[in-house]
């Protein structure tokens, strides 16, 4: 019996700084209903889907940052998303800023099944940017200030008929992300992103080059691990700061099979046949037959680059 | 002072099974001279550049395979390549089947400087294919029979003004290849390939999809390690078996900046500014700032994929 996940990727248009959670959730809810009407099994929302991309704003004090975080999931504003998903029998994956009971701060994405149970939790490992105000940047990217690096590694979950994994935004640029999941047999990786359309450190870098980077990393992760990859953007102009769109679904050949056409709220769909992962997993990427771990030691033993002496 | 390597990639057209080494070397020599006339510093030749892609032919006996191997480098047929390169003041990188004095067999690529000294040696780590005759294949791919896996890891060399690395063919599909070199600060990775235009195990896989795989892996390796990558094909119809072309030079943004247009002997060129690697190495891919090796352990500790229990 084929294992087909009918997947929706619910790209979000911009969320302005003063936009309230309830209004944002209403937008997500409309897209969830659209996906359910198409009989999707699962809908993917972006990274930090409930707020503007707040790491662009410097705050001196920790307490002034916490308003962007969710201390409960579901909480007052998000419960309707869980309740509606349960009623409609659709799963979802949602990114948000997580404040734990121990007052730890993570950039988190959860996987919620069709009974509205949280069956998977991922905390972003590769935090880009910086921790202190950097005046040379055209805008700030303070993820290393707002969050601590994820402490859960790259787990996968056998759920919804397949082996599911998650990662978030900058994680997609690091092949280690996909490989650790590939070594656990992942069949579908879901990720959200908030990525500036231009580079705050290199004004001449074009939007096209940056979109190419975005897709290249996801396509390589899909092919080299013989899995589906779905990327969901928060896109458009947030209070004058533009985020790239380009949400997509990628097959295990690394080919884009669905692509968002706007920079606004937009749902794209694809029937992802998880059995389509098997051919490459059993041939070109039969890891047991072909990987040579005796030569990979540096990858997990050395953090930074060490060039040979001049 | 900018560090620009004027690089030539000398794609080779097909080499038939009965084509003698001297004739093949004459073809390589013509391309080397073409590169020297363009004042290139370095010319890249393909994997197994001196013979047809012999791993497609099953031989029961080891002794019957050794005629494809070079016991000396330079040897009688190849010395003219070294002598001419020295005269013209151009370096080169060449793939060939290496038979060591200890009678070990490797799929090898060397880096030769403008004084015709062998300054680098790489032995292919990721051998694709199989070791025994497999009747279900449309043709054989017996690299695991002809060669043992490389025993030198993925070294880099500071030479010719930069940090140089090599890999061979199937190595490019494995992100570990590029990452181990990236962790040593590589600025230019040179690789050759002999890749069938169609898939012996999946006749419906198109040539276009396979070319996409080829470029995707090299482009991702370049971007994710902020280095130049050059790929050199042996292409065209070898005794009825077609090999893909698509030789290319890729910049540190993962963009193809030079691309072969034929499936025959053809030289492409690019001025590779090694200093163009610095921006990404210092920002997005500042490994010391962003890599999280505490979560990468599986990559070097576990060879095969282990999915979660059903």
């Amino acid at each position: 019996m084929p294992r087909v996940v009918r997947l929706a990727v619910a790209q979000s248009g911009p969320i302005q700084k003063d936009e309230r959670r309830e209004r944002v959730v209403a937008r997500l809810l409309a897209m969830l209903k659209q996906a359910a009407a198409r009989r999707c099994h699962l809908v993917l929302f972006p990274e930090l889907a409930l707020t503007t991309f707040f790491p662009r704003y410097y705050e001196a004090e920790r307490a002034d940052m916490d308003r962007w975080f969710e201390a409960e999931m579901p909480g007052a504003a998000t419960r309707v998303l869980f309740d509606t998903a349960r009623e409609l029998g659709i799963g979802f994956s949602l990114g948000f800023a997580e404040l734990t009971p121990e007052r730890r701060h993570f950039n988190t994405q959860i996987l919620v099944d069709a009974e509205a149970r949280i069956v998977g939790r991922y905390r972003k490992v590769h935090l880009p940017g910086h921790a202190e105000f950097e005046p040379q940047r055209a805008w700030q990217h303070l993820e290393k200030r707002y969050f601590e690096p994820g402490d859960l590694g790259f787990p996968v979950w056998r759920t919804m008929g397949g082996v599911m994994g998650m990662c978030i935004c900058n994680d997609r640029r690091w092949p280690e992300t996909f490989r650790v999941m590939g070594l656990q047999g992942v069949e579908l990786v879901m990720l959200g992103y908030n990525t500036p359309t231009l580079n705050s450190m290199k004004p001449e870098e074009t939007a096209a080059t940056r979109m190419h980077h975005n897709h290249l990393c996801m396509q390589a992760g899909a092919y080299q691990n013989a899995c589906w990859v779905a990327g969901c953007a928060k896109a458009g102009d947030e209070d004058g700061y533009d985020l790239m769109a380009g949400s997509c679904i990628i097959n295990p050949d690394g080919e884009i099979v669905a692509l968002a056409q706007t920079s606004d709220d937009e749902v794209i769909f694809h029937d992802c046949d998880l059995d389509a992962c098997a051919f490459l997993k059993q041939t070109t990427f039969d890891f047991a037959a072909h990987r040579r771990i005796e030569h990979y030691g540096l990858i997990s033993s050395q953090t930074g680059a060490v060039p040979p002496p001049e």
Side-chain angles (χ1 to χ4, degrees), chain A:
Chain A
M1 194 173 122
R3 295 178 299 135
V4 175
V5 173
R6 180 164 290 181
L7 179 66
V9 172
Q11 175 176 285
S12 167
I15 301 175
Q16 307 310 323
K17 196 176 180 184
D18 63 1
E19 200 164 332
R20 294 181 55 222
R21 297 279 203 289
E22 289 69 17
R23 191 177 130 76
V24 174
V25 170
R27 287 167 53 188
L28 302 183
L29 207 53
M31 293 197 282
L32 182 129
K33 288 176 181 170
Q34 200 182 329
R38 290 279 293 257
R39 301 193 185 185
C40 290
H41 301 101
L42 188 54
V43 54
L44 170 62
F45 295 111
E47 175 194 32
L48 301 175
L50 303 173
T51 63
T52 196
F53 186 65
F54 58 83
R56 73 171 70 92
Y57 300 115
Y58 178 79
E59 296 282 3
E61 300 299 327
R62 178 83 258 176
D64 295 329
M65 306 180 212
D66 278 356
R67 64 189 163 123
W68 303 112
F69 284 74
E70 313 301 314
E72 289 182 308
M73 186 55 63
T78 46
R79 190 169 309 276
V80 62
L81 206 56
F82 285 70
D83 291 345
T84 309
R86 186 192 300 110
E87 279 164 33
L88 298 174
I90 185 170
F92 66 91
S93 185
L94 177 77
F96 62 95
E98 177 188 12
L99 177 58
T100 75
E102 301 78 27
R103 303 203 65 73
R104 298 178 68 185
H105 300 76
F106 296 102
N107 188 338
T108 294
Q109 186 176 326
I110 52 172
L111 180 60
V112 180
D113 73 9
E115 284 81 46
R117 294 174 299 213
I118 296 175
V119 292
R121 178 181 304 267
Y122 170 74
R123 290 169 173 162
K124 186 173 183 177
V125 165
H126 297 99
L127 298 173
H130 48 108
E132 300 301 330
F133 188 83
E134 293 194 354
Q136 75 274 25
R137 291 177 182 262
W139 57 87
Q140 303 296 297
H141 199 118
L142 290 154
E143 290 196 54
K144 288 191 197 289
R145 183 175 191 83
Y146 277 90
F147 305 110
E148 59 177 295
D151 60 345
L152 303 173
F154 300 100
V156 303
W157 299 271
R158 188 177 287 283
T159 183
M160 303 177 193
V163 182
M164 305 292 174
M166 295 184 279
C167 66
I168 300 176
C169 195
N170 182 50
D171 284 319
R172 73 195 183 289
R173 301 189 196 271
W174 300 86
E176 292 88 348
T177 298
F178 293 101
R179 181 59 101 226
V180 172
M181 290 190 268
L183 282 162
Q184 301 170 82
V186 78
E187 295 174 316
L188 170 58
V189 175
M190 287 164 280
L191 69 97
Y193 58 89
N194 284 253
T195 302
T197 300
L198 298 176
N199 190 328
S200 67
M201 300 285 278
K202 190 180 182 183
E204 71 274 23
E205 189 170 283
T206 67
T209 290
R210 289 175 60 76
M211 185 60 79
H212 155 75
H213 295 158
N214 172 42
H215 287 151
L216 175 63
C217 291
M218 292 191 282
Q219 291 177 275
Y223 172 60
Q224 293 176 329
N225 297 282
C227 63
W228 294 86
V229 172
C232 184
K234 181 142 65 66
D237 181 337
E238 293 192 336
D239 296 293
Y241 300 95
D242 205 67
L243 299 173
M244 69 168 65
S247 299
C248 58
I249 301 173
I250 298 166
N251 71 17
D253 277 307
E255 296 163 333
I256 294 174
V257 293
L259 179 64
Q261 299 301 311
T262 73
S263 296
D264 216 328
D265 290 6
E266 177 184 351
V267 189
I268 60 172
F269 307 90
H270 193 78
D271 284 337
C272 302
D273 179 0
L274 301 184
D275 290 328
C277 303
F279 176 75
L280 281 172
K281 284 187 193 291
Q282 291 163 6
T283 59
T284 308
F285 297 116
D286 177 349
F287 289 175
H290 302 307
R291 294 182 79 243
R292 305 296 318 183
I293 61 173
E294 70 272 27
H295 297 305
Y296 303 160
L298 275 191
I299 294 171
S300 54
S301 66
Q302 178 182 304
T303 302
V306 182
E310 295 271 357

